[in-house]
Amino acid sequence: MRHDHGEPLLSPEQMEELGRELDAMRRQVLADLQERDAAYIRSVVRTQRRLEIAGRGLFYFGFFPPAWIAGVVCLAIAKMLDNMEIGHNVLHGQYDWIGDPDLQSKTFEWEWMYPAEEWRRSHNYEHHTYTNVLGKDRDIGYSVLRMSDGQPWHPYHLGNPLYTLVIMVFFEQAAALHDVQVDRLVTRKRKWSESRETLLRLRRKAGSCALREYVLFPALTGPLFLSTLLGNVAAGLIRNIVAFSAAFTGHTPQDAQTFTEQQVEGESRAHWYYRQLMCSANFSGGKLFHILTGHFGHQIEHHLFPDLPSSRLREIAPQVQALCTRYGLPYNTGPFPRQLGSAWRKAFMLALPSKEHVAARFRRTGSRRETTS
């Protein structure tokens, strides 16, 4: 298997040994799962529920600006926890072993517009199986952005920075539309009939969420309807910006690599591990920051072991980094602002065609002129 910069950095023998060491690391953590892990996720769930109740309750005093602001903050944090530290991780099956019916990946449903059933297929299977594989992983640019040199350039991509901003602001809505595959419908690579069932599920889920957030809860505060509505919108916006920013840094900073379908054809589990190391990126931060962002700052460890509880990832991160050092592999990490800035720079840079693209276009134009003359 090749990557963006040539041959693999490991020999076949080293690759297989790397795989064995990572398998052993995963088994060690699974064998050590205990009550403290169950207690952790249950405490996060309790905190999320209390914050949501507090946030919605404070909107009844929205006529008092400090109460309104406090309500927005509480509700925003509750939404962040529900989406990232609880929803994303529970849906990966990280807590199936507990046996708690409220924490089972196959039946869990979260409080945002993306139906969990669709997420389990597109994220848990497609993204985690074909991470950063062009043509297979639709999370590369969310089928809207150009985030790899391997994606052909089109004048449409001049709007890359603007599209990135729009997706960040409307991340909940953009994520919900992910499985509809609007890009393929527009280009007629997919029939509307193929997206019909997905659209029906989306309409039910998104309609329910919108009714609750923008009609029901504001209406319950009576004369403070508009104030509560604005508070709900503000809390959702904060959640969208944080969730997008945390996810955006996971596979798009400058050094994160992409692969072609040919490069991953017939790959072994060891090769799959290797690809996760080469295309994932971490960001550093304090314990609370990692909790609020669903431990997305340990994206490398999460992609190596998606079914391990998120709180364990920061414990094994030093081991993974040491393993990379020993094998001479990059371990893409850094402060959150730097990693996020790197991803945004990439969005700006790839809005423009590469020199190779311009040269190829010039050659094609020249050939057409010669043929015409």
Side-chain angles (χ1 to χ4, degrees), residues 17-18 37 45 57 87 90 113 115 125 135 159 190 226 239 243-244 258 284 305 322 337 341-342 345 360:
E17 182 58 30
L18 172 71
D37 299 288
V45 170
V90 168
M113 294 182 178
Y125 173 69
R190 181 179 175 89
L226 183 58
R239 183 272 318 279
F244 172 82
T258 56
S284 56
F305 314 117
S342 176
R345 281 195 300 275

Side-chain angles (χ1 to χ4, degrees), residues 42-59 67-82 85-86 213 217 232 235 288 291-292:
R42 286 178 175 136
S43 70
V44 174
V45 170
R46 286 195 300 271
T47 299
Q48 186 275 331
R49 290 173 178 170
R50 290 167 182 170
L51 284 168
E52 182 171 0
I53 292 171
R56 298 198 187 281
L58 284 165
F59 285 146
W68 185 86
I69 294 172
V72 169
V73 172
C74 287
L75 188 56
I77 294 175
K79 287 177 176 290
M80 288 157 57
L81 290 174
D82 179 69
E85 185 65 347
I86 301 172
E213 289 297 306
F217 281 119
N232 286 350
L288 180 59
I291 293 173
L292 292 177

Side-chain angles (χ1 to χ4, degrees), residues 178-250:
H178 186 65
D179 288 347
V180 177
Q181 302 187 33
V182 176
D183 57 313
R184 294 181 180 177
L185 294 174
V186 171
T187 57
R188 298 184 180 179
K189 294 179 180 178
R190 181 179 175 89
K191 297 179 181 178
W192 282 98
S193 58
E194 295 179 84
S195 292
R196 185 174 182 178
E197 290 301 318
T198 301
L199 280 167
L200 289 174
R201 284 192 291 268
L202 172 60
R203 186 172 68 179
R204 287 194 295 267
K205 183 66 189 297
S208 173
C209 290
L211 181 65
R212 182 188 67 241
E213 289 297 306
Y214 308 132
V215 179
L216 177 59
F217 281 119
L220 288 175
T221 59
L224 294 174
F225 180 96
L226 183 58
S227 172
T228 303
L229 174 62
L230 291 175
N232 286 350
V233 170
L237 177 61
I238 294 171
R239 183 272 318 279
N240 285 352
I241 292 173
V242 173
F244 172 82
S245 298
F248 194 48
T249 60

